[in-house]
Amino acid sequence: MSLYSRFRLFTLSILQLSLFFGLHKEASAQGLGNSPYSSLGMGEFYGEGFSDNTGMGQSGVSTASGFQINNLNPALWVRNRFTTLDIGLIGQYKDITSGSRNQRNAGGNLGYVSLAFPVHPRWVIGVSIKPYSFVDYGDSTSRQVQGTGAIANYFTTGKGGLNKASITNSVQINRYLSLGLETSYFFGNVRKATEVSLPVSGSGDYLVSLNERTTYSDIAFRAGAAVRVPLKKNKVNLNLGGAYSFGANINSNQTTSFEVTQNSFPVLQPDTLSNNLGGILKTPNQFQAGASLEWPLKFVISADYNRQYWSQYRGFAGADDNLRDVGRINVGAEWLPKFTSLKYLDIVRYRIGFSYGSTPYMINNRDIKDASVSLGITFPMGRGYQNLISFAFVGGQRGGTGSGLIRERYGRVVLGITLLERWFQKQKID
């Protein structure tokens, strides 16, 4: 690899990391549009999969092509024989319905920046940074002030989220088995506000505000294992894989303030009710296991199951938000027409996937389900077609209507850019 190529790769990495931190400096984690369900628990999750796994229904914990980074399982990073830079962008559109009320919104964010580089034929080190979850909700109601004819307007809002910066070590133990460990630093903040607007005759409304800002920072771990067993004289591989996220007690600090304003001017001196009050956010244990059949450089079909123990969750004040343990299935397939072909469309990768499961939320004693279908495609680009650009399209629905439920219909697009180079290899001169 030339000095110029290394400089280019490092420059792109630094640029994207700077962009990431710039986007998150104020808001901690940019959301993907208003999501009422993000008011519960840790908010709405981005998921661990990158663009290729997204196109396969977030499946693939047991298999990796080696051309793109598979972040579902730390043990699969060792399949990347090239130094690989993966960058992803996410956009989402939502149609939200609750009773007779309807809202449409959209949002986008940098999805991930990840760099994997082999330091030994059996050892790959990776670094990545990505948003982990986001909180983005707002609601308003109006009701009469008791004993008066005045109408008060009530507003509740939440913004922010968690991010994770990770270092992954992935090792090939023998011909069949690989192991991996991801060490992550979680950081971010969430701001919640409750406001009441009180009309006053002859002057501007009074606005009574209770503001809460909670910051988070701590370390957590995720481990993985993967097995590849050749079948039919190496023409087909049976892959098995699993990943386990260890629950963590994330250090938290909360500041709560109270203020009363009229026409944006303070009526009373703002009061800090608590300042940097210490606490913890307890995250649940999670595991994902899967199997796949792989015809190398031709076709892959995979199926995964993941389980999340949300009954273990505890918020800053110790509340469990009535969350429950849930499971989810993910299935997907990838097809590469002909890897050795000179026709461009024959070396394009095509994907399809499906995902279905329960969410941790229960509203009015009814389960909130989530189902989605996905399509994906990867185009080779650049000199020698060694780099890739990928698109994943997801359409799904969460929740339903009636009995006070909220239905979210969403469409999501993930754009992934993959650059591959060779590092740490001696140049041979003939």
Side-chain angles (χ1 to χ4, degrees):
M1 175 182 174
S2 68
L3 180 62
Y4 170 77
S5 297
R6 295 187 187 186
F7 177 77
R8 181 186 64 177
L9 200 56
F10 269 123
T11 300
L12 282 171
S13 301
I14 293 171
L15 177 62
Q16 293 298 332
L17 290 174
S18 299
L19 175 61
F20 186 92
F21 280 115
L23 286 174
H24 293 74
K25 183 178 180 181
E26 295 297 329
S28 172
Q30 302 294 323
L32 298 178
N34 184 21
S35 175
Y37 290 111
S38 70
S39 64
L40 301 173
M42 297 173 64
E44 186 168 335
F45 292 88
Y46 282 84
E48 296 291 352
F50 291 172
S51 60
D52 52 336
N53 297 112
T54 301
M56 295 175 63
Q58 288 288 343
S59 70
V61 74
S62 64
T63 182
S65 67
F67 295 100
Q68 294 170 281
I69 296 173
N70 185 332
N71 195 51
L72 293 177
N73 188 345
L76 293 175
W77 285 60
V78 76
R79 304 276 176 87
N80 291 87
R81 302 302 183 185
F82 301 92
T83 298
T84 307
L85 173 65
D86 256 336
I87 302 168
L89 301 172
I90 303 177
Q92 181 169 268
Y93 170 83
K94 276 188 178 180
D95 182 293
I96 303 173
T97 301
S98 178
S100 60
R101 302 165 64 188
N102 181 264
Q103 180 189 77
R104 294 180 176 87
N105 61 78
N109 195 16
L110 179 66
Y112 53 86
V113 177
S114 189
L115 179 66
F117 50 94
V119 295
H120 185 274
R122 291 178 175 266
W123 178 24
V124 169
I125 294 177
V127 293
S128 64
I129 188 166
K130 66 186 299 294
Y132 182 72
S133 66
F134 72 90
V135 174
D136 188 350
Y137 66 89
D139 189 31
S140 63
T141 59
S142 299
R143 58 179 181 265
Q144 186 175 355
V145 178
Q146 189 174 3
T148 73
I151 301 296
N153 299 310
Y154 296 79
F155 306 93
T156 56
T157 59
K159 289 279 188 180
L162 285 176
N163 313 296
K164 59 183 289 191
S166 307
I167 297 177
T168 301
N169 281 275
S170 185
V171 179
Q172 191 74 39
I173 302 300
N174 54 39
R175 180 184 176 188
Y176 306 104
L177 174 66
S178 62
L179 301 175
L181 178 66
E182 177 190 88
T183 303
S184 298
Y185 175 69
F186 284 85
F187 62 97
N189 68 73
V190 174
R191 300 180 310 282
K192 297 181 179 180
T194 302
E195 299 177 329
V196 182
S197 177
L198 300 170
V200 178
S201 179
S203 60
D205 295 354
Y206 279 99
L207 185 64
V208 182
S209 304
L210 183 66
N211 301 298
E212 178 185 282
R213 184 178 188 270
T214 309
T215 60
Y216 304 96
S217 61
D218 219 318
I219 294 175
F221 300 94
R222 186 164 64 110
V227 175
R228 173 183 279 175
V229 180
L231 305 175
K232 292 186 177 181
K233 298 181 180 180
N234 296 323
K235 292 183 178 181
V236 182
N237 295 323
L238 170 64
N239 301 308
L240 304 173
Y244 189 88
S245 298
F246 297 89
N249 293 327
I250 298 178
N251 288 322
S252 310
N253 291 282
Q254 189 174 94
T255 298
T256 305
S257 62
F258 173 82
E259 60 181 339
V260 180
T261 61
Q262 185 179 33
N263 296 328
S264 301
F265 294 98
V267 175
L268 301 175
Q269 188 69 22
D271 186 14
T272 300
L273 304 180
S274 64
N275 187 25
N276 283 329
L277 182 65
I280 63 169
L281 172 71
K282 186 175 182 180
T283 65
N285 297 320
Q286 304 177 50
F287 80 85
Q288 186 172 3
S292 60
L293 286 174
E294 172 192 11
W295 287 258
L297 301 176
K298 188 173 183 66
F299 185 72
V300 176
I301 183 169
S302 67
D304 297 348
Y305 174 79
N306 68 74
R307 186 76 176 171
Q308 302 174 338
Y309 296 94
W310 282 103
S311 61
Q312 302 171 352
Y313 167 83
R314 294 296 182 273
F316 180 86
D320 62 8
D321 283 0
N322 198 31
L323 303 183
R324 60 197 183 90
D325 301 340
V326 293
R328 191 174 190 88
I329 59 171
N330 311 83
V331 296
E334 178 186 85
W335 176 51
L336 175 62
K338 190 174 182 180
F339 181 72
T340 57
S341 175
L342 297 178
K343 296 181 179 180
Y344 182 78
L345 292 181
D346 285 346
I347 56 175
V348 172
R349 296 173 184 267
Y350 305 89
R351 303 182 182 93
I352 190 171
F354 172 75
S355 180
Y356 176 80
S358 298
T359 69
Y361 320 121
M362 181 172 286
I363 309 296
N364 295 333
N365 294 318
R366 290 185 60 180
D367 294 342
I368 305 300
K369 304 290 187 180
D370 185 289
S372 64
V373 294
S374 59
L375 297 172
I377 190 167
T378 294
F379 298 100
M381 64 177 188
R383 184 178 58 187
Y385 294 143
Q386 67 179 18
N387 301 315
L388 307 168
I389 183 168
S390 302
F391 297 90
F393 306 92
V394 182
Q397 176 175 307
R398 175 168 53 183
T401 56
S403 302
L405 300 181
I406 299 173
R407 184 189 68 194
E408 294 183 350
R409 289 177 172 169
Y410 56 87
R412 186 179 306 135
V413 179
V414 181
L415 166 64
I417 299 174
T418 306
L419 304 179
L420 297 97
E421 297 284 359
R422 288 186 179 272
W423 290 13
F424 309 116
Q425 294 191 10
K426 293 182 179 180
Q427 299 291 331
K428 293 183 179 180
I429 300 177
D430 295 331

